[in-house]
Amino acid sequence: MIQGQSRRLLTQGWRFLRGGVGGWCRLQHSSAACRPINKLLIANRGEIACRVMRTARRLGVKTVAVYSDPDRNSMHVAMADEAYRLGPAASQESYLRGDKILEVAMSSGAQAVHPGYGFLSENAEFADECLKAGVVFVGPPASAIRDMGIKSTSKAIMSEASVPVVGGYHGEEQTDERLAAEAHRIGFPVMIKAVRGGGGKGMRIAMKPEEFQEQLESARREAMKSFGDDVMLIEKFVERPRHVEVQVFGDHHSNYVYLFERDCSVQRRHQKIIEEAPAPGLTWDVRQSLGEAAVRAARAVGYVGAGTVEFILDPSHNFYFMEMNTRLQVEHPVSEMITNTDLVEWQLRVASGEPLPLTQDEIKLSGHSFEARIYAEDPRGGFLPGAGPLNHLSTPAPSQHVRIETGVRQGDEVSVHYDPMIAKLVVWGHDRTSALNSLTSCLAKYNIVGLNTNVDFLLTLATHPSFQAGDVSTDFIPDHYDELFPPLAASKKLLCQAALAQVLEEEQEGVRAVAASQDPTSPFGPSASPRINHTLIRTLPFTCEGKEEEVRVEYLGDSKYRMSVGGESFAVSGSLVCDNGVRHLSASVGDSVSRVNVVLDGRDIHLFTQTGGWKVSVPAPKFESELGHVAGASGGAVAPMPGVVEKVFVSAGQTVEAGDPLVVMIAMKMEYVIKASSPGVVEKVLFEPGQSVARNTPLVKLKEAEE
């Protein structure tokens, strides 16, 4: 193993080797294990494909993209040196077609394939096929993927390696009766998990015996859809746990290191939404013990490349092995920020045969980092995923301490076919407090119009006193639900800001129209005389959060107004300046002065404040609303989000009770069971399995049962 100064000189030498990675091998006169990489195929899409390309470009490595039909004009295709079509939208016909991906790799001359995360990243068979084809798989050997991919096998290996594990049932007998009996033996609540699972898929919690069968069946369906395997394991569910994971790295020379831990406890639907590194509140002894246990886990399976060992941490800081993700994690940037490393560069160098760039002693922890995952979803609607156009997208300015990892641009569309992530916002600070301040400031500057997002929820979460104190667990959202989802009501001053934005925009539009017409006699021109003894008063109707509001506006001249809302009157003035498509409103309302971003989208006025965004809508004229009105189904079930019908439980003429399952939908690779909200008789089933549906589309029509 290369130590100290020699390692640093070698690292410096890499920077002068152009046209790819594998320079160490060339300096060492090569070996059979060394495979210089000059051209790389990224077998993925979205932000991770763009992330890998940025590092590859910096290293002088040419990149090859692959895409499905909906992704033809996507950001990752535009960034690549060359790109090739895989097939239709469905992942099974595009991004999961390992045979097509290998064909592209060989025909394009790519020496290596980077799988990103998801899709084929933990597919041992694909790793084997790459090896047979002579293409470098930028990841661990297939044997490690297999050992860690089957949870029952991985736990046995971990026990042998003296890594603490949670007790449970990992047996081969998979009958409903045996699994239920094991759940009773372990004691409720229990966790039902797919042995090949990951990312929260194929995972359910049964809090009590009567829930077990329904949760088991749901987990099996989702596991089969996601992994092609519905074998389950049962574990004791540790209440109020923290989810703490360790970034590990290994190379072909039997070197192993850990790059400290990340806390990923705050989750919804068993999926992470905000991560931080290092984990708050841990002593250095616990931190070191976690890291050393993770390295033992990696060494036990001969691991090579980037991996993450996930642990459950109980309130006493005892930790237990949960699983190992044999790939680069979504949240890897926070580890990079606190160690000043580029883990994708490490992956490429290790895959080409080079040793790890640093020893354990050379890896230093510096500062604190947060990552917030920005999703197209509806937090107040149970975090149901969404899809749609990004009509407006403005972000905080990237810098050395602020990263925006994304695969979309303004005007792109978040597709129903794939994960609804829009971006990852990553920040760094000298300590946790400064990093958290940076996170909240940047979230307030992340303005999106066109679809529902979780930005406001993340902002509320990041400013919650318990989160700021580092008092987190996987139950954080349900434990603090009422505080995270307070009743929404627009303030009177905010409604005045919306009215001011509308009035100023109208005035500017009038000036632009006059300028375009070149009519010197227009009463709206800048040289027009003021109206004497005349005060204009108008009432502006708005709708905000389902409530109808009115703002009475009295024009006083010189861009000054008197506005009245709900019986309260305010002196209002301000200016509206447009910069790069974003309108900046400076508003004085009563005794307060504020600055907000304004986006006008049709009849909607979007106001982005330091505490979150608001949509204030101008009602359509009556004739428009009457022409546009379409009556929905009188009774039944509707799609809560865009997706694909997976299974239909009912048929015409069938009687159902409230709570009976009607339809299973798959959206963004997750399963959702649509249930009857009231008793009735199925009048008509409107869709068949395999059909795509839009949000709010009627799925099953019900009628009242005859007496």
Side-chain angles (χ1 to χ4, degrees):
M1 198 171 188
I2 300 172
Q3 300 289 334
Q5 185 67 20
S6 298
R7 174 64 58 83
R8 283 189 288 274
L9 289 172
L10 188 56
T11 303
Q12 293 170 6
W14 281 333
R15 299 192 183 106
F16 298 99
L17 291 165
R18 299 295 184 184
V21 293
W24 183 87
C25 300
R26 293 193 288 273
L27 288 173
Q28 295 297 309
H29 307 294
S30 144
S31 75
C34 292
R35 292 286 307 276
I37 299 171
N38 303 309
K39 197 171 191 179
L40 175 70
L41 184 149
I42 298 93
N44 217 298
R45 63 179 301 280
E47 65 88 13
I48 185 58
C50 296
R51 161 73 186 91
V52 173
M53 288 178 193
R54 279 190 288 271
T55 290
R57 179 180 296 168
R58 179 174 59 79
L59 296 173
V61 176
K62 294 186 179 298
T63 56
V64 179
V66 289
Y67 62 89
S68 66
D69 289 341
D71 283 342
R72 172 63 184 84
N73 298 312
S74 65
M75 185 173 171
H76 81 276
V77 172
M79 283 185 65
D81 293 300
E82 51 194 276
Y84 299 87
R85 177 184 179 271
L86 289 176
S91 299
Q92 294 88 343
E93 299 179 64
S94 53
Y95 295 107
L96 291 176
R97 286 293 303 271
D99 55 340
K100 283 192 174 183
I101 289 171
L102 273 177
E103 285 178 13
V104 172
M106 290 185 286
S107 64
S108 66
Q111 297 104 342
V113 171
H114 193 303
Y117 50 71
F119 295 131
L120 295 171
S121 62
E122 295 181 282
N123 187 304
E125 290 73 24
F126 179 67
D128 271 336
E129 290 303 314
C130 287
L131 183 65
K132 293 176 185 176
V135 175
V136 175
F137 178 74
V138 182
S143 59
I145 298 176
R146 289 191 180 92
D147 287 344
M148 292 292 99
I150 301 176
K151 289 182 170 55
S152 54
T153 302
S154 68
K155 289 181 184 295
I157 294 172
M158 293 303 101
S159 294
E160 184 68 22
S162 300
V163 178
V165 298
V166 175
Y169 176 71
H170 312 136
E172 295 183 3
E173 186 178 342
Q174 289 286 305
T175 64
D176 291 2
E177 294 76 15
R178 177 60 185 272
L179 293 178
E182 291 295 337
H184 280 87
R185 178 186 63 80
I186 295 167
F188 288 87
V190 297
M191 179 79 79
I192 306 167
K193 300 167 68 173
V195 296
R196 293 185 182 272
K201 300 175 184 67
M203 181 186 299
R204 297 292 186 273
I205 298 170
M207 298 301 294
K208 47 191 177 181
E210 49 267 35
E211 297 177 356
F212 182 79
Q213 189 62 33
E214 179 183 353
Q215 299 292 356
L216 173 63
E217 292 175 1
S218 180
R220 278 177 166 162
R221 285 194 301 269
E222 192 169 274
M224 181 59 72
K225 183 72 176 180
S226 299
F227 314 113
D229 189 333
D230 64 355
V231 176
M232 295 286 143
L233 60 82
I234 312 295
E235 291 180 345
K236 178 67 177 176
F237 177 63
V238 178
E239 298 193 66
R240 290 196 56 78
R242 287 171 64 180
H243 179 131
V244 176
E245 60 188 34
V246 179
Q247 178 71 59
V248 294
F249 235 101
D251 63 19
H252 291 285
H253 309 277
S254 300
N255 301 316
Y256 295 93
V257 297
Y258 63 87
L259 291 92
F260 304 106
E261 80 286 349
R262 304 183 284 254
D263 193 306
C264 311
S265 298
V266 181
Q267 305 177 9
R268 88 282 185 264
R269 301 199 315 265
H270 306 300
Q271 289 186 311
K272 308 158 191 173
I273 51 174
I274 193 164
E275 303 97 351
E276 62 180 298
L282 297 191
T283 66
W284 273 101
D285 286 344
V286 172
R287 178 165 291 125
Q288 184 175 355
S289 296
L290 275 165
E292 291 173 350
V295 165
R296 289 199 301 273
R299 193 182 298 275
V301 293
Y303 200 82
V304 175
T308 299
V309 184
E310 300 190 349
F311 296 95
I312 293 172
L313 188 75
D314 71 17
S316 299
H317 290 180
N318 299 307
F319 57 87
Y320 308 93
F321 173 83
M322 185 163 52
E323 63 183 7
M324 184 175 187
N325 290 308
T326 53
R327 54 175 166 80
L328 194 68
Q329 289 279 83
V330 176
E331 59 272 20
H332 75 274
V334 293
S335 295
E336 293 179 320
M337 296 293 263
I338 64 167
T339 57
N340 193 29
T341 55
D342 182 335
L343 297 186
V344 173
E345 178 178 350
W346 281 35
Q347 282 188 299
L348 296 178
R349 294 200 180 284
V350 165
S352 71
E354 298 179 4
L356 293 176
L358 299 173
T359 67
Q360 189 65 62
D361 289 341
E362 292 173 320
I363 299 172
K364 305 300 180 184
L365 192 159
S366 174
H368 205 96
S369 180
F370 284 94
E371 174 184 280
R373 303 189 190 189
I374 297 174
Y375 282 104
E377 65 181 16
D378 182 8
R380 289 180 177 267
F383 293 97
L384 289 177
L390 292 162
N391 294 337
H392 173 83
L393 174 62
S394 57
T395 72
S399 69
Q400 181 182 357
H401 298 151
V402 176
R403 288 169 56 175
I404 297 169
E405 304 283 354
T406 188
V408 294
R409 303 148 298 190
Q410 181 169 298
D412 286 349
E413 185 156 327
V414 178
S415 171
V416 65
H417 301 288
Y418 310 112
D419 189 271
M421 183 188 291
I422 296 172
K424 302 180 310 195
L425 173 62
V426 187
V427 301
W428 180 90
H430 292 286
D431 53 31
R432 190 174 188 271
T433 299
S434 61
L436 196 50
N437 289 339
S438 177
L439 177 66
T440 56
S441 174
C442 289
L443 283 169
K445 298 173 185 174
Y446 220 111
N447 305 159
I448 299 173
V449 171
L451 37 64
N452 287 329
T453 76
N454 66 339
V455 172
D456 287 350
F457 171 77
L458 290 169
L459 192 52
T460 302
L461 190 155
T463 54
H464 191 281
S466 294
F467 185 82
Q468 292 195 327
D471 182 14
V472 295
S473 76
T474 56
D475 297 321
F476 189 89
I477 293 176
D479 284 351
H480 300 284
Y481 188 88
D482 291 342
E483 294 136 353
L484 294 172
F485 295 99
L488 292 178
S491 70
K492 295 175 182 178
K493 290 187 176 182
L494 184 121
L495 293 171
C496 288
Q497 291 173 348
L500 180 63
Q502 181 178 344
V503 168
L504 293 176
E505 176 64 19
E506 289 172 350
E507 291 181 355
Q508 292 180 6
E509 182 61 32
V511 171
R512 289 191 291 268
V514 169
S517 70
Q518 298 181 343
D519 180 5
T521 65
S522 171
F524 302 103
S527 60
S529 301
R531 302 180 183 185
I532 307 300
N533 298 324
H534 179 79
T535 301
L536 173 62
I537 299 176
R538 63 190 288 209
T539 298
L540 301 180
F542 294 122
T543 302
C544 185
E545 298 301 333
K547 184 180 179 182
E548 295 182 356
E549 308 278 4
E550 285 187 343
V551 180
R552 182 178 181 272
V553 181
E554 180 181 354
Y555 289 66
L556 304 178
D558 296 328
S559 297
K560 295 180 181 179
Y561 312 88
R562 170 68 58 182
M563 296 189 184
S564 301
V565 187
E568 191 171 355
S569 182
F570 303 92
V572 178
S573 62
S575 62
L576 187 66
V577 179
C578 187
D579 181 24
N580 291 326
V582 181
R583 293 167 174 83
H584 304 288
L585 177 69
S586 295
S588 173
V589 182
D591 57 359
S592 63
V593 178
S594 59
R595 179 180 170 87
V596 300
N597 289 344
V598 177
V599 177
L600 304 179
D601 185 37
R603 294 190 173 277
D604 297 329
I605 303 171
H606 294 265
L607 303 170
F608 295 98
T609 73
Q610 288 300 306
T611 57
W614 294 85
K615 183 175 78 171
V616 180
S617 301
V618 179
K622 186 176 181 181
F623 76 91
E624 284 189 18
S625 60
E626 288 176 348
L627 287 173
H629 178 70
V630 178
S634 59
V638 299
M641 67 285 179
V644 177
V645 175
E646 173 71 10
K647 184 175 182 180
V648 177
F649 290 102
V650 294
S651 57
Q654 182 175 336
T655 300
V656 297
E657 299 296 329
D660 284 354
L662 302 176
V663 175
V664 173
M665 284 185 60
I666 298 292
M668 315 298 181
K669 301 184 286 186
M670 299 292 286
E671 178 185 284
Y672 302 89
V673 180
I674 315 301
K675 299 182 179 181
S677 59
S678 59
V681 176
V682 176
E683 185 175 347
K684 189 176 183 180
V685 177
L686 302 172
F687 288 89
E688 298 178 353
Q691 290 185 295
S692 297
V693 295
R695 184 182 182 186
N696 294 327
T697 300
L699 301 173
V700 176
K701 191 173 183 179
L702 296 180
K703 62 181 180 180
E704 293 184 2
E706 298 180 359
E707 296 293 337

